[in-house]
Amino acid sequence: CLVNCPFGAINETHSALDVVIKKLADPNTQVVGIIAPAVRVAVGEEFGFAKGELVTNKLYGAMNQAGFKIFDCNFAADLTIMEEGSEFIHRLHGNLKGEADAGALPQFTSCCPGWVRYLETQYPSLLPNLSTAKSPQQMAGTVAKTYGANVYDMPPENIFTVSVMPCTSKKFEASRPEFNDAWAYHKNNGSSAAEYPDVDAVLTTREMAQLLKLLEIDLAKANDFEGDSLFSHYTGAGTIFGTTGGVMEAAVRTAHKVLTGDEMAQLDFEPVRGLEGVKEAEITLFDKSLGQEITAKVAVVHDMGKNVAPILKDVMAGTSPYHFIEVMNCAGGCVNGGGQPIDGSGTSWLGKA
Ligand code: SF4
């Protein structure tokens, strides 16, 4: 049992829950819950819903009852894809024009902390290929404590951000010392606020279920709630971040709109869907700003330990055919992350052990 580990090896679970419970009871603190895309299709399992049943508004309602303000991480995923998609177009254009400071291609996605850490430790020479966009979790934390301070009408130091993630490595990501942009923002704007992280605590999907049970809130009986600010609004592009290929599909949609001025006629981008270890696709479109037709090649990799090495070998050798590569550590993407419910049957979200 995670909570009762007799060796004290895993006490983070207990301490994160304890801290969040204390903050929820503190009248001087506004706790903001940042809910990742993959959580809403899994947490219901802990309360008797069928596997995969979407419980977004029930989860909003239960968390609202517990005292959270709702910040849907899908909103932040939309921000991420605008940043990451724009960066990709900038790099692609710069390379096509032969600009010296165009930025490295292929561009890698940067929203999976397991993948980012792997690249840092195993292939540090490829770090320039990593998108400079922060992950949705980190963008959400920054926005909640900057723009959100006005929305919540609270000093940023009284806002406590709790992300709810399908992922255990998001705890590590939130603890990285470079992620205190909100503090830097307020300091530059004359605030004397003490240093604080963008994301104060990370709970896994399992831990959120534990929290609700500790607070005696039954998700199944919670009132549906639509959210209470623009942070509960998002597009389908933000939602599909939760599965392998989702970030790439969102990026392709964004790039198409920006480069051609039109939405894709068919929004579903099938070549990057499914559970093949490496998926690839090619997009040819008329680029209005360049006044010419261009072709971009993309690849999607999940189950990273098994599949990414040959792709990186080609990038290291300068022979990679791709312009943009999505990498996710977990098989199937975040929906199958290490923080999702375990049903005891020995099967994962992919239906295999
Ligand atoms: Fe976390 Fe896995 Fe998603 Fe990476 S793919 S962000 S490790 S859940």
Side-chain angles (χ1 to χ4, degrees):
C1 167
L2 287 178
V3 174
N4 296 319
C5 174
F7 309 106
I10 306 173
N11 54 18
E12 202 178 349
T13 298
H14 233 349
S15 62
L17 283 176
D18 286 348
V19 170
V20 173
I21 288 169
K22 274 190 195 135
K23 289 291 178 183
L24 284 167
D26 178 354
N28 296 317
T29 299
Q30 178 56 64
V31 182
V32 176
I34 299 166
I35 307 159
V39 174
R40 67 208 64 206
V41 291
V43 70
E45 217 180 296
E46 298 272 355
F47 294 89
F49 289 87
K51 252 189 182 186
E53 191 167 339
L54 188 64
V55 295
T56 311
N57 294 123
K58 286 266 177 229
L59 181 58
Y60 282 12
M63 288 176 64
N64 187 247
Q65 194 181 330
F68 288 91
K69 287 281 184 194
I70 305 300
F71 190 128
D72 202 307
C73 204
N74 288 10
F75 173 87
D78 280 334
L79 300 182
T80 299
I81 207 56
M82 293 302 292
E83 288 290 327
E84 203 161 350
S86 304
E87 183 181 15
F88 173 60
I89 291 167
H90 179 77
R91 290 191 192 207
L92 188 63
H93 278 175
N95 278 277
L96 286 170
K97 292 176 188 167
E99 292 170 356
D101 60 348
L105 288 179
Q107 178 175 304
F108 298 146
T109 55
S110 56
C111 49
C112 171
W115 153 239
V116 169
R117 193 69 188 131
Y118 174 78
L119 201 70
E120 284 177 322
T121 55
Q122 305 301 311
Y123 294 87
S125 65
L126 295 182
L127 284 175
N129 294 68
L130 208 52
S131 167
T132 57
K134 292 200 294 187
S135 72
Q137 168 176 274
Q138 297 308 133
M139 285 200 188
T142 311
V143 171
K145 290 191 178 180
T146 53
Y147 184 75
N150 296 324
V151 174
Y152 304 129
D153 197 19
M154 270 268 183
E157 50 272 38
N158 290 16
I159 294 172
F160 190 82
T161 44
V162 179
S163 69
V164 188
M165 294 282 139
C167 176
T168 45
S169 60
K170 285 284 172 186
K171 290 176 187 274
F172 162 73
E173 182 184 64
S175 74
R176 293 187 67 137
E178 61 267 41
F179 287 141
N180 56 10
D181 287 352
W183 171 75
Y185 170 86
H186 289 292
K187 194 176 163 208
N188 289 337
N189 283 282
S191 168
S192 57
E195 185 167 357
Y196 49 71
D198 297 339
V199 177
D200 292 292
V202 180
L203 300 181
T204 62
T205 307
R206 287 194 298 271
E207 287 170 326
M208 175 46 73
Q210 268 181 284
L211 177 70
L212 293 177
K213 286 172 186 173
L214 284 169
L215 297 175
E216 299 184 345
I217 296 172
D218 184 350
L219 188 81
K221 292 186 182 144
N223 291 326
D224 282 0
F225 181 52
E226 298 282 335
D228 42 22
S229 72
L230 84 161
F231 301 138
S232 313
H233 294 260
Y234 52 85
T235 73
T239 307
I240 56 178
F241 262 57
T243 185
T244 169
V247 180
M248 186 58 73
E249 184 164 341
V252 167
R253 291 178 188 175
T254 302
H256 190 282
K257 169 75 176 161
V258 172
L259 292 175
T260 68
D262 300 317
E263 299 283 1
M264 286 167 71
Q266 172 67 33
L267 277 183
D268 295 344
F269 191 57
E270 302 284 349
V272 294
R273 295 189 175 185
L275 292 175
E276 258 181 76
V278 178
K279 293 163 280 186
E280 55 180 15
E282 193 172 288
I283 311 108
T284 300
L285 47 78
F286 187 78
D287 184 329
K288 275 188 174 169
S289 64
L290 292 180
Q292 69 183 67
E293 197 164 78
I294 60 169
T295 296
K297 290 189 176 184
V298 303
V300 170
V301 183
H302 67 121
D303 205 354
M304 179 185 77
K306 283 188 194 154
N307 298 314
V308 84
I311 300 283
L312 296 180
K313 197 173 152 215
D314 287 350
V315 178
M316 291 288 283
T319 56
S320 174
Y322 306 119
H323 300 98
F324 197 178
I325 302 175
E326 173 198 306
V327 184
M328 292 290 167
N329 175 55
C330 299
C334 300
V335 74
N336 197 37
Q340 295 284 63
I342 301 166
D343 71 1
S345 69
T347 58
S348 76
W349 270 74
L350 300 181
K352 53 190 180 189

